[in-house]
């Protein structure tokens, strides 16, 4: 993906991300501040996915909003 950070309202997006990835805490989501790579790292760890699948989920999530 050509961008690394979500440049919208991260507070609102963080709440939506929490609904999608309930194994990730609000604090962890806040620490990423919309950084795609950091969010994918956490998703990969919590859900046991490979890097490509985790990044695909992140890209799909942000493409919807």
């Amino acid at each position: 993906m050509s961008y690394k950070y979500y440049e919208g309202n991260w507070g609102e997006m963080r709440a939506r991300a929490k609904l999608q990835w309930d194994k990730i805490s609000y604090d962890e989501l806040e620490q990423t501040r919309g950084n795609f790579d950091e969010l994918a790292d956490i998703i990969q760890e919590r859900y046991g996915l490979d890097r490509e699948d985790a990044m695909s989920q992140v890209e799909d999530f942000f493409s919807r909003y």
Side-chain angles (χ1 to χ4, degrees), residues 18-52:
K18 178 64 176 159
L19 290 173
Q20 179 160 336
W21 297 294
D22 63 341
K23 292 182 182 180
I24 302 173
S25 72
Y26 279 111
D27 288 339
E28 290 171 316
L29 289 168
E30 181 60 29
Q31 288 175 343
T32 69
R33 300 296 300 162
N35 180 302
F36 282 40
D37 290 322
E38 289 181 21
L39 184 54
D41 287 344
I42 295 170
I43 292 167
Q44 182 178 1
E45 179 182 320
R46 292 294 186 289
Y47 291 90
L49 302 173
D50 64 28
R51 179 69 180 171
E52 186 176 315

Side-chain angles (χ1 to χ4, degrees), residues 1 20-21 40 43 49-64:
M1 190 163 253
Q20 179 160 336
W21 297 294
I43 292 167
L49 302 173
D50 64 28
R51 179 69 180 171
E52 186 176 315
D53 288 339
M55 187 57 83
S56 177
Q57 284 192 20
V58 171
E59 291 171 353
D60 179 62
F61 175 79
F62 284 108
S63 73
R64 287 183 274 148

